[in-house]
Amino acid sequence: MLSLRFAIPTANSIASPKPKPKSAGSLQFLGNQTDIFSSGVSVPKRYDCKLQAAPTDVDVVNGKTSVARELSEELPVGLKKELMPKHVAVIMDGNGRWARQRGLPPSAGHEAGVKSLRELVELCCRWGIQVLTVFAFSAENWIRPKVEVEFLLSLFERALKSEFESFASESQIELLFYVMLFPSVRGGIRISVIGDSSKLPTSLQKLINEVEEATKQNTKLQLIVAVSYSGKYDVVQACRSIAEKAKDGEIQIEDINESLIEQELETNCTEYPYPDLLIRTSNELRVSNFLLWQLAYTELFFVRELWPDFGKDEFVDALTSYQQRQRRYGGRHS
């Protein structure tokens, strides 16, 4: 039986949300900006961190010059580089409630949630986290009102297409600008999508295949997006795959073990299939059928903030709590 340990500090469950203004997201460059280079290049103030420009690398490929400048951010006070999780998973909950509290339609909450995701992706890149898995649309979400489901899938498709096409069509000057400010975002993220894709619109399935193929060599961060996904579905499809192999004589019954099952799970797309840390927003204290096998010894962290209000401060709190824990994997305290 799967056993989940909710080793959550008391402060985590009673902490009051910290109000803070939200900007338009890490890829938006409208207002509230501060210069960081004498050349006038600017970055939104929400990244109120110390930026250091590394030496510029210049490569010549097929007769064209490629310029890349790396920016690095010092870790927030209290966080240790050697204790950073390799894989962080997030249940992005509360978009609908965020919208209702403001008298807005659910679509507004989902749009705001995309901006929070962009910021989280940027922070993961800057702080050395290698895999980020987000629960974007569960198998159970199909029972929601049709108009909301269609909007969610449309929003996901538009977000994927926008990032993919903008990268492909940028001029050399625009590309240089993005590489200087966001080297982790432009050309560094590998995108993988897990879940029952057979239920998705054909156009979205095609786009997912294109994006996965185009980004498969990127190594800065692997972003795994769970769409039409459930943990139970994941285990069932793995069992079916193993049963087919046993039926065809490719494996014997005695060959079936945890390692073989892991290889058949949807998270076989990553080198680090087991999240070190799971974050869930909106004060819900459950895992909601997400990565059930993979979360066996994951550290869990729950926050009161709704997903659109989750930002850098909340992420630092989660990472700080994670680094203060002793992971025993069933053993005793040392």
Side-chain angles (χ1 to χ4, degrees):
M1 180 181 293
L2 177 64
S3 175
L4 297 177
R5 298 181 63 86
F6 289 75
I8 307 301
T10 304
N12 180 37
S13 60
I14 62 174
S16 300
K18 300 182 290 296
K20 57 182 176 57
K22 299 292 288 183
S23 76
S26 63
L27 298 184
Q28 304 289 329
F29 298 92
L30 302 176
N32 293 326
Q33 298 176 335
T34 179
D35 291 337
I36 59 173
F37 298 118
S38 59
S39 60
V41 178
S42 59
V43 64
K45 281 185 177 178
R46 79 185 301 171
Y47 297 106
D48 52 348
C49 54
K50 183 177 180 180
L51 297 176
Q52 297 174 331
T56 300
D57 296 324
V58 180
D59 299 311
V60 178
V61 180
N62 296 328
K64 296 183 178 180
T65 301
S66 173
V67 182
R69 180 188 295 268
E70 290 291 339
L71 297 180
S72 62
E73 176 185 345
E74 292 181 349
L75 286 175
V77 175
L79 291 181
K80 298 180 180 179
K81 183 178 180 180
E82 65 273 16
L83 296 180
M84 292 294 283
K86 289 183 172 64
H87 184 169
V88 173
V90 181
I91 299 177
M92 306 180 294
D93 193 19
N95 291 342
R97 274 169 283 175
W98 184 91
R100 285 196 299 274
Q101 289 175 3
R102 291 159 176 76
L104 301 171
S107 59
H110 296 310
E111 292 273 11
V114 169
K115 296 172 184 176
S116 289
L117 176 57
R118 284 172 173 165
E119 178 179 8
L120 185 62
V121 167
E122 180 64 27
L123 292 174
C124 285
C125 290
R126 292 183 178 278
W127 294 348
I129 293 169
Q130 298 180 30
V131 182
L132 173 64
T133 299
V134 295
F135 206 4
F137 186 83
S138 74
E140 291 77 17
N141 286 156
W142 288 106
I143 66 175
R144 290 187 178 185
K146 183 179 179 181
V147 64
E148 183 177 357
V149 169
E150 290 179 345
F151 177 82
L152 273 170
L153 295 179
S154 173
L155 177 62
F156 177 49
E157 184 169 355
R158 283 188 287 114
L160 268 182
K161 191 173 183 179
S162 174
E163 293 303 313
F164 186 50
E165 289 185 345
S166 64
F167 175 71
S169 63
E170 283 163 0
S171 67
Q172 188 171 1
I173 295 300
E174 290 171 325
L175 180 58
L176 173 60
F177 174 76
Y178 278 119
V179 168
M180 286 176 65
L181 280 183
F182 299 105
S184 55
V185 173
R186 294 292 162 175
I189 294 180
R190 176 187 174 188
I191 298 177
S192 304
V193 179
I194 61 175
D196 185 3
S197 61
S198 65
K199 296 182 178 180
L200 301 177
T202 303
S203 60
L204 180 52
Q205 292 182 44
K206 182 175 181 293
L207 179 60
I208 287 172
N209 291 334
E210 292 176 352
V211 171
E212 287 184 328
E213 178 64 24
T215 64
K216 66 181 182 181
Q217 300 300 324
N218 294 342
T219 59
K220 184 74 174 182
L221 171 73
Q222 183 171 10
L223 174 61
I224 302 176
V225 185
V227 180
S228 189
Y229 176 89
S230 84
K232 291 181 179 179
Y233 152 83
D234 200 357
V235 174
V236 169
Q237 67 84 26
C239 291
R240 287 176 176 169
S241 179
I242 292 173
E244 285 288 340
K245 291 181 178 180
K247 178 182 177 181
D248 295 339
E250 297 179 31
I251 59 173
Q252 302 301 314
I253 297 300
E254 55 269 23
D255 295 329
I256 300 176
N257 53 28
E258 290 186 9
S259 177
L260 182 61
I261 294 174
E262 175 188 319
Q263 294 171 28
E264 298 296 335
L265 293 172
E266 296 262 292
T267 45
N268 63 8
C269 62
T270 180
E271 182 182 356
Y272 304 102
Y274 298 111
D276 299 299
L277 171 66
L278 170 71
I279 301 170
R280 178 164 189 161
T281 57
S282 82
N283 206 33
E284 300 290 351
L285 308 180
R286 54 180 179 269
V287 296
S288 295
N289 201 6
F290 183 47
L291 300 176
L292 296 182
W293 179 283
Q294 297 89 334
L295 293 179
Y297 283 102
T298 298
E299 296 295 326
L300 309 177
F301 188 86
F302 301 99
V303 296
R304 290 182 180 275
E305 282 79 10
L306 303 176
W307 174 243
D309 290 326
F310 186 92
K312 180 178 179 179
D313 291 343
E314 290 72 31
F315 194 32
V316 170
D317 288 344
L319 293 173
T320 299
S321 176
Y322 169 81
Q323 294 194 355
Q324 292 172 346
R325 304 180 192 183
Q326 184 180 51
R327 306 187 72 188
R328 301 191 300 278
Y329 301 97
R332 295 185 182 278
H333 282 286
S334 59

